[in-house]
Each structure stands twice: as C-alpha cells, then as structure tokens.
C-alpha cells in the first residue's frame, strides 16, 4: 500500500495510534491498581480520564506536526472545559506529564517528537484544537481517544480510533485495541471478551492495531509495540479477513455491554428471528468492529434508543476496516452510513448493521423490516 493515495496519512496514523495504545495501557494499569483515581464526569454524566485527554493531546500534536497545524482539521470527543477548571490543577498536571512521557518515546515508533517538554498551555491548546465540525468538503481527522471509557476504567476492552475523512468519505481507518488478544482461541467467549482471561501471560499476545485504506480491499493487523522493539521484525502486519460463515445458526453477534444507548431486547428478538443460537458477544467499544473484521464474530447490531444520536468518531474507523476486510456495514434500511454531515451520523434508518458478508447482511436487514412494527424503540 506504500505507493497508494493516503499512504503517508495511514503510516503516521498507525504509528500515532501505537503510541496512544502504549499511553492507555500505562494509565489503565494505574487506574485498575488504584494508584490514582482521576476520573471526571462530563455534562452527560459519562466518564472521562487522564487517558482521554492525554491521547487527544498527543494525537493532535503529532498530526499538526506532520500535516501542518494551519491545515489540519480534527474532530474529537473531548474538550478542555473540565480540564481547565480550578479544581482540576492536579489532573491537568497528570495529563501534561503523561503527554510528555509519551512524546519522548516518539522515535521508538518512527516519529519525531517535540524535542522539549510541552507546558500546560500547549497541551490544552492541542486538546482544544480538535474542535472541527467536519462536513462534506476537505480532509478531516476523526478521533475517539478512548472509545469505551467504562470498559477502560474497569480494566476491560476499549479502543483508540482514528480515521481520515476526505470530501465526506472515510479513506483511512486505524483502530487500536490494547486488550484484544491476537488469537481468537485466547478469547473467553463464555464470559465475553470484556472479562478477558488469557491462557498465557505473554504480553506480546495481547493488543493490536488494525488499519486500512479505502479501496485497498485489505485490512491489516499489527501487534502492539512493547518496550524499545520498534516497528520491525515481529511487528510486521498481517492480513485479516472477515469470517466465511453465512449460516446464522453458527454465527456470533456482537453488541454493546451497556444498555443505556442500545436496545438489547430488540437485538435479541432479531437474533432469534434469523436463527442465531450463539450467546451474544457483549463488548465495550469499537472492538466489536475489530471482531467482525478479524473473523471472530459475524454480526454487530446497534439499535439506539429514541433520541440518541450516533457520533462519527464511534464508527468511522471501524466501518471502513470491516468493509475493506470484506464485510458489509449499512444502516438498518440497507443504506451506507453518511460521514459527511458533521459530528453526528445524520439520517440513520433505525440502527446500524455490520456483517461478515452480503448473505448474512440481507437476512438481518430482512428481519429488521419484519420485526420493526412490533418493537418499542
């Protein structure tokens, strides 16, 4: 893919997400061990952590360095409001330290850091710069610094998601999944991915970055970088493909762990209606898209409860990765998702359906039409 369009954006994107995953693993370890408990609540009561702001600052700084601060447009989840409050001085200091520790390791990932430590105003500027509203014209980076913050806080699954939209189309997708086992056999399906148990304590068997470029017809998976080993040798990426299973009775479907923004009872009815027999794989974050792209599951369905609006940063990278790995992603009416209308996925018909293949997708869409009238969404 080196000679193709967006090669530089993909290369930098993968390296930056590798850096972000390393940052997140360090912060999650401290959170879970109780070393610190710096979790704030946003206006919608959802949690935000040191990792959310630190990843956003790091990715923002790097994208501006490589693609020009005047021309880079970034749409991201977090803002600086809570971090700028007077009672957040200690939290801001932790974010600044975390960002500088991460940027100092940039050469390990084949990137150039700032040369000297950033100060608090520079870190706040980097976070606040991610305030683009997107749209149908031009290039826009889309970042979810920690997708699945609840999973992150609990020591479970989460993702770092970075995508590039060009004139309304997602053209680059990078998905970092720091706690996702490299091999399907390491998944504990009975307890879901989220309460993960691994047969080996070898850290190199856990965590990956999955990436793609639009039109390549390929998606790739790279293990996380550990220590100073760099991107060479065992970290060479390998091709991934969706599952070839098209019999619903053999298929596994993914859905969100939390029921706050999705209707589990409706998806359960749909699953039963098309003959799905396996227990659903409930997992935090865009790791669900990774599971479809890698062939670990065949279906992901999300039907939001009334009034909830899907954000583009929760889907952009994952959708492109599944599509290029051979899968199909549409709304529940069978139409492509529209990433050209700002930070929200406007005009979604009922919900989102991602499948490993056309045949399975058609069955799910048909079941939606058959079941919709009787649902209480």
């Amino acid at each position: 893919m080196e000679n193709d369009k967006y090669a530089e954006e993909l290369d930098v994107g993968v390296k930056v997400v590798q850096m972000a995953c390393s940052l997140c693993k360090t912060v999650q370890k401290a959170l879970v061990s109780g070393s610190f408990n710096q979790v704030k609540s946003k206006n919608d009561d959802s949690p935000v952590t040191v990792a959310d702001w630190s990843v956003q600052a790091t990715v923002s700084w790097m994208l501006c360095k490589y693609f020009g601060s005047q021309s880079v447009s970034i749409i991201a989840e977090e803002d600086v409001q809570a971090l700028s409050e007077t009672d957040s001085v200690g939290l801001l200091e932790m974010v600044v330290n975390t960002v500088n520790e991460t940027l100092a390791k940039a050469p390990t990932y084949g990137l150039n850091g700032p040369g000297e430590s950033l100060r608090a105003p520079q870190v706040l500027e980097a976070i606040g710069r991610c305030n683009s509203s997107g749209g149908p014209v031009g290039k826009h980076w889309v970042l979810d610094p920690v997708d699945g913050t609840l999973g992150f806080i609990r020591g479970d699954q989460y993702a770092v998601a970075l995508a590039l939209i060009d004139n309304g189309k997602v053209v680059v997708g990078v998905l970092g999944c720091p706690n996702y086992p490299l091999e399907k056999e390491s998944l504990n399906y009975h307890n879901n991915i989220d309460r993960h148990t691994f047969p080996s304590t070898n850290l190199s068997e856990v965590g990956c970055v999955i990436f793609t470029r639009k039109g390549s017809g390929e998606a790739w998976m790279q293990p996380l970088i550990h220590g100073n080993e760099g991107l060479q040798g065992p970290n060479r990426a390998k091709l991934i493909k969706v599952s070839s299973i098209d019999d619903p009775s053999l298929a596994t479907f993914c859905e969100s762990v939390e029921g706050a923004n999705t209707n589990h009872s409706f998806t359960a009815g749909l699953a039963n209606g098309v003959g799905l027999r396996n227990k659903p794989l409930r997992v935090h974050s865009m790791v669900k898209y990774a599971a479809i792209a890698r062939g670990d599951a065949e279906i992901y369905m999300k039907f939001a409860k009334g009034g909830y609006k899907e954000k583009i940063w929760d889907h952009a990278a994952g959708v492109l990765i599944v599509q290029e790995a051979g899968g199909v992603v549409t709304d529940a009416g069978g139409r492509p998702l529209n990433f050209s209308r700002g930070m929200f996925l406007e005009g979604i018909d009922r919900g989102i359906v991602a499948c490993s293949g056309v045949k399975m997708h058609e069955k799910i869409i048909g079941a939606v039409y058959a079941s919709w009238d009787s649902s209480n969404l």
Side-chain angles (χ1 to χ4, degrees):
M1 291 192 287
E2 291 80 10
N3 298 322
D4 293 316
K5 195 176 183 183
Y6 309 115
E8 184 183 6
E9 289 91 341
L10 181 61
D11 179 61
V12 172
V14 170
K15 291 172 180 175
V16 167
V17 170
Q18 281 275 6
M19 288 178 67
C21 287
S22 175
L23 181 165
C24 286
K25 286 181 79 72
T26 301
V27 174
Q28 188 184 51
K29 185 177 180 181
L31 268 176
V32 173
S33 68
S35 300
F36 63 85
N37 187 30
Q38 293 287 1
V39 180
K40 297 270 284 187
S41 290
K42 294 189 279 190
N43 292 335
D44 62 358
D45 290 330
S46 62
V48 60
T49 72
V50 167
D52 293 84
W53 285 304
S54 299
V55 168
Q56 187 158 314
T58 300
V59 174
S60 170
W61 193 92
M62 278 295 180
L63 292 180
C64 288
K65 175 176 177 61
Y66 278 88
F67 302 108
S69 58
Q70 299 303 313
S71 57
V72 165
S73 167
I74 308 172
I75 310 159
E77 183 167 13
E78 309 307 337
D79 59 38
V80 296
Q81 184 177 345
L83 199 56
S84 303
E85 293 170 357
T86 52
D87 64 348
S88 297
V89 174
L91 186 62
L92 175 58
E93 184 179 344
M94 291 179 71
V95 170
V96 172
N97 289 339
T98 303
V99 169
N100 283 319
E101 287 170 9
T102 304
L103 290 174
K105 299 173 187 173
T108 301
Y109 302 88
L111 296 170
N112 296 317
E116 60 183 33
S117 294
L118 303 185
R119 292 192 278 272
Q122 294 169 292
V123 171
L124 288 171
E125 181 189 3
I127 296 169
R129 192 185 289 127
C130 305
N131 61 355
S132 171
S133 56
V137 178
K139 290 182 179 179
H140 308 283
W141 290 93
V142 182
L143 171 68
D144 194 337
V146 179
D147 182 46
T149 304
L150 276 174
F152 178 77
I153 292 167
R154 294 168 179 169
D156 291 336
Q157 295 295 329
Y158 63 98
V160 177
L162 181 65
L164 177 64
I165 293 175
D166 192 1
N167 291 333
K169 303 293 184 184
V170 185
V171 294
V172 168
V174 186
L175 198 55
C177 307
N179 285 342
Y180 195 27
L182 291 174
E183 300 297 332
K184 180 177 180 178
E185 290 71 23
S186 298
L187 298 177
N188 184 340
Y189 275 95
H190 297 293
N191 293 314
N192 294 324
I193 299 178
D194 269 315
R195 294 293 170 191
H196 48 263
T197 59
F198 306 120
S200 168
T201 56
N202 186 349
L203 284 175
S204 65
E205 294 181 7
V206 179
C208 59
V209 174
I210 298 175
F211 55 93
T212 193
R213 175 193 54 79
K214 185 175 178 61
S216 64
E218 297 175 340
W220 297 83
M221 180 177 73
Q222 183 183 76
L224 291 190
I225 294 169
H226 299 281
N228 296 314
E229 63 192 20
L231 286 161
Q232 304 304 314
N235 284 303
R236 285 178 296 188
K238 73 172 187 178
L239 200 63
I240 59 170
K241 274 293 186 186
V242 294
S243 166
S244 59
I245 291 172
D246 59 10
D247 180 351
S249 68
L250 302 175
T252 298
F253 83 93
C254 303
E255 62 181 355
S256 302
V257 174
E258 303 299 324
N261 295 322
T262 190
N263 191 315
H264 284 159
S265 61
F266 182 71
T267 54
L270 272 181
N272 187 62
V274 296
L276 294 173
R277 298 292 173 255
N278 289 336
K279 184 180 177 181
L281 191 62
R282 288 188 176 173
V283 58
H284 291 286
S285 83
M286 266 190 274
V287 167
K288 292 182 282 290
Y289 282 116
I292 303 295
R294 266 185 26 175
D296 296 338
E298 286 72 37
I299 301 161
Y300 164 38
M301 299 183 280
K302 185 177 183 188
F303 294 90
K305 293 181 177 178
Y308 181 79
K309 296 179 76 173
E310 298 286 353
K311 288 94 171 175
I312 61 173
W313 53 70
D314 287 327
H315 298 280
V319 167
L320 184 65
I321 286 167
V322 168
Q323 290 172 333
E324 297 298 331
V328 183
V329 187
T330 68
D331 68 16
R335 299 181 305 184
L337 303 182
N338 187 345
F339 290 93
S340 71
R341 297 173 67 178
M343 67 177 65
F344 295 105
L345 277 174
E346 303 284 2
I348 288 180
D349 185 350
R350 293 166 285 192
I352 295 172
V353 177
C355 291
S356 55
V358 173
K359 189 174 178 181
M360 194 81 77
H361 183 262
E362 288 175 349
K363 289 176 181 176
I364 298 295
I365 298 298
V368 171
Y369 277 101
S371 305
W372 189 259
D373 289 341
S374 61
S375 81
N376 59 357
L377 278 173

